[in-house]
Every structure is written in structure tokens, then in C-alpha cells.
Amino acid sequence: MEARLISPAGAASLSMTEIRDAAARDGGTLWLDFDHTDEDSMALLGELIDVRPSDIQECHNRSPVPKMRFYADHHFSAINGLARGSDGRLRFQPLKLFLTPKALITVQGPTSSSLTSEIARRELSAVRQRVDSGQLRPASSFELVAAIRAEEMRTHEDLITESSARIARLERDVSQKDPVKAEALLQDLFDLRHDLEAIRTSAAQAAESFANLIETMDLQEGLMQTDLRRVRNSQQGFRHLQHTADLEREYLQEMIDLFQTRVSTELNRFVRKVTAWGSIGIAWTVIVGLYGMDFANMPELGWRWGYPAVLLLMLVVGVLLVLLFRRRGWL
């Protein structure tokens, strides 16, 4: 577990006993960060906050569906981030938050086997380093959770920037490479579309969750109040990321359509060539078949120049068909 008590004087690490004392006192913002497998920390969570069993169970689940639940003394949220796993693919990064006016408790949920603990906790580690170095001094738990959401948005921005650079490289390959020989290029295009879809989905889910929070605060009474200004700022940020990912995805789809059109055009061109040469071969086959018939009254069979004449006829027919197909652009 990582435990911090953040005050204007700085951030102080806390032991398990000091956490209970800090939670009972006024002053400062308490931040606890641990994994869902840490049984002692999960038990401490139940001591500090009146958590619901369903929220505790949610900490042990890996679900792509975001959740936000609001109570009189705290808020619970499960909004997935994004991280690139060891297999190179983007994976949802489950993060559970328990928020009170005085404390923020972050619980890392079960992740994909391709996500190491270091990768899965990258945003939290970045915020913690800023807090420890004095670059970030959140005056409340609302400011602290806003900093974590801002770090998640920065990760999304970096992923979109990376995807944009990959699109530029693939655009050059689509226009230059032989589409018939570039089957791997199509797989790269589909992989990139998967990444953009994951980014777009993650940003859209976060934006909708914040919109739900704002609407709930307006409609229901008796819930713990939150900093709606920061919530709206986070909503706008994730909505902007969603629109940006949509634009990049549309551009990528145009490239995929262009690539598939080039492949289809090359295939049609190949089929036309095969059809043209096949037609020439069929014409020769007709001539050969005609003189291959075993009838007695065929004057050409007894003609001295019959064989050379038939070869010449086949050559003339072949040349005429080649010229015809070339005029039509088939050869």
C-alpha cells in the first residue's frame, strides 16, 4: 500500500496505524493506493468508509462497463483507463475510486496478464511523484482525483498522437507498396483501427460517466456534493479526446477503403489479363479442334502447305486478338 497525507507543508508517508489517526483528524488530504489483492488494505477500506458490498465486489471484477455510484458520505467510481500491454495491444486498465471530502482511495482492479503492475499504475505513479516532489499540492481530494483524471487524459492524448504518426506512415505505404504483395499492411491497418476504437470507447465512457454524475447531482438530494466545475472540465476533456479519435478513425477508414480499392483494382486487372490470354488460347483451340476432326473430305488435310497455313492462321488470329485487347486496355 502507498499512503500519503497531503497538506500545504508537503506529503508525508503513513503507516497502517498512522492512517487511522490521520483519518480521524481534520486537516490535509488522505490518499491511499493499493491493489485489490491486498486483503489488509481492503479491510482498512471498510473501516474508513461505509462501503457497500457491491462496491467491494466490483473491486475484484474486471468489467469494461464503467460505473459511478453516489452516496451521502462518499462516491464510488469504476472507470477504465488504457495501457499498452506487453503484446503490443491496448488493454483496459481498471481503476476503482472511493472519494470522500477528506480522502481518496484508489484500488487497482484485476488487469490483463499482458499488463505489468508498473504499466497498470503508470498514471497513479506519475501523480504520486508530482505530489512527493512538491509540483502538485492538492488542497482537497477533489483536486487530487482531478489530477489523476488529467493524467489519464494525457495518456489518451499520447496514444492518439502515436496513432496519428502510424497513420502517416501507413498512408505512405498504402500509396507506394504493391497492394497484392502487401497483405501484412492490411493487418497493420486493422490493428491501428482497433487501437483507435479502444481509445474512442474509453474516452466516450469516461465522458458519459461524468455527464451522469452532473445530472445525478442536479436531480437527487442528500448526496455528497462534489466539485462540479472540475467534473465538467474532465467531461469536456474526454469528450474532446473522443471527437479527436473519431476523426482519426474516419481518416484511417478512408485509407483502408483506398487500400481495398487498390487491391480490387489490381485483382480486376489481373483477371482481365487472364481472360484476354485465355480468349486467345480458346481461339487457337477452336482452330486446332476443327482440323483435329477425323473426316475424309477435308481438302486441307491433303494440301502440302496445309500445316503451315493453319499455323499462320493461328498466328494472325492471335495477333488480331492481342491488338484488340490492348486497344481496350486489357493487355
Side-chain angles (χ1 to χ4, degrees):
M1 173 195 283
E2 293 284 349
R4 299 286 190 280
L5 180 62
I6 308 170
S7 66
S13 298
L14 303 177
S15 65
M16 189 71 73
T17 304
E18 292 173 331
I19 292 173
R20 294 183 175 91
D21 294 338
R25 297 195 309 264
D26 293 331
T29 300
L30 182 63
W31 180 19
L32 307 182
D33 177 36
F34 52 86
D35 192 84
H36 72 287
T37 57
D38 188 339
E39 296 182 0
D40 292 338
S41 299
M42 292 297 294
L44 178 61
L45 171 62
E47 296 180 23
L48 300 179
I49 301 176
D50 182 20
V51 293
R52 289 2 182 222
S54 59
D55 296 341
I56 293 292
Q57 182 62 38
E58 190 63 36
C59 292
H60 300 281
N61 293 337
R62 196 172 103 192
S63 172
V65 181
K67 298 177 179 65
M68 297 193 80
R69 297 165 183 166
F70 315 107
Y71 309 105
D73 60 334
H74 74 281
H75 292 171
F76 168 77
S77 65
I79 300 179
N80 295 309
L82 278 180
R84 193 173 297 281
S86 57
D87 57 357
R89 297 179 68 84
L90 289 181
R91 304 291 183 179
F92 285 114
Q93 177 185 358
L95 179 63
K96 325 298 181 178
L97 299 180
F98 294 87
L99 178 67
T100 74
K102 294 175 52 179
L104 172 65
I105 301 176
T106 54
V107 183
Q108 188 70 56
T111 61
S112 169
S113 58
S114 64
L115 288 180
T116 64
S117 177
E118 180 180 357
I119 294 176
R121 310 187 79 88
R122 182 173 53 190
E123 287 90 357
L124 296 176
S125 298
V127 174
R128 186 162 48 248
Q129 289 175 3
R130 292 173 58 200
V131 169
D132 292 342
S133 65
Q135 296 178 4
L136 178 64
R137 283 288 181 268
S140 67
S141 59
F142 304 117
E143 290 187 20
L144 181 57
V145 73
I148 294 175
R149 296 307 185 195
E151 197 65 35
E152 291 178 340
M153 283 191 284
R154 191 172 295 109
T155 297
H156 283 68
E157 290 172 359
D158 292 341
L159 291 172
I160 292 177
T161 301
E162 173 192 331
S163 299
S164 180
R166 289 170 61 189
I167 289 176
R169 292 194 299 270
L170 289 173
E171 183 180 23
R172 182 184 63 250
D173 293 340
V174 165
S175 61
Q176 294 179 356
K177 287 187 177 181
D178 183 353
V180 177
K181 299 179 181 180
E183 294 182 1
L185 181 58
L186 186 60
Q187 184 61 46
D188 290 341
L189 291 169
F190 286 142
D191 289 343
L192 182 52
R193 185 171 67 177
H194 170 272
D195 285 357
L196 287 172
E197 184 64 30
I199 296 170
R200 190 261 179 202
T201 300
S202 178
Q205 288 179 342
E208 290 301 322
S209 297
F210 293 131
N212 178 50
L213 170 58
I214 295 171
E215 183 178 356
T216 303
M217 290 294 103
D218 290 338
L219 295 179
Q220 295 187 21
E221 298 180 356
L223 302 178
M224 185 192 80
Q225 295 302 306
T226 186
D227 189 343
L228 291 180
R229 181 178 60 86
R230 297 184 185 277
V231 173
R232 291 190 177 92
N233 184 64
S234 296
Q235 179 196 17
Q236 292 174 359
F238 279 107
R239 188 71 71 192
H240 173 70
L241 290 170
Q242 176 189 348
H243 292 329
T244 303
D246 281 337
L247 292 175
E248 294 292 340
R249 188 180 55 171
E250 291 175 5
Y251 183 35
L252 177 64
Q253 186 59 50
E254 291 179 0
M255 288 176 51
I256 294 175
D257 293 342
L258 173 61
F259 181 79
Q260 292 177 331
T261 300
R262 289 195 63 201
V263 171
S264 178
T265 300
E266 289 295 325
L267 179 61
N268 290 337
R269 186 180 303 171
F270 174 76
V271 170
R272 288 200 304 268
K273 288 183 178 181
V274 171
T275 302
W277 288 114
S279 299
I280 295 173
I282 290 174
W284 290 345
T285 302
V286 171
I287 296 174
V288 172
L290 179 64
Y291 286 100
M293 293 186 293
D294 192 14
F295 291 107
N297 297 322
M298 295 184 68
E300 295 86 351
L301 297 179
W303 183 29
R304 177 180 178 182
W305 303 103
Y307 181 68
V310 170
L311 292 179
L312 179 61
L313 175 61
M314 294 173 63
L315 177 62
V316 171
V317 171
V319 170
L320 290 176
L321 289 176
V322 167
L323 294 176
L324 175 64
F325 287 129
R326 282 192 173 177
R327 285 187 60 185
R328 295 181 175 273
W330 284 39
L331 289 175

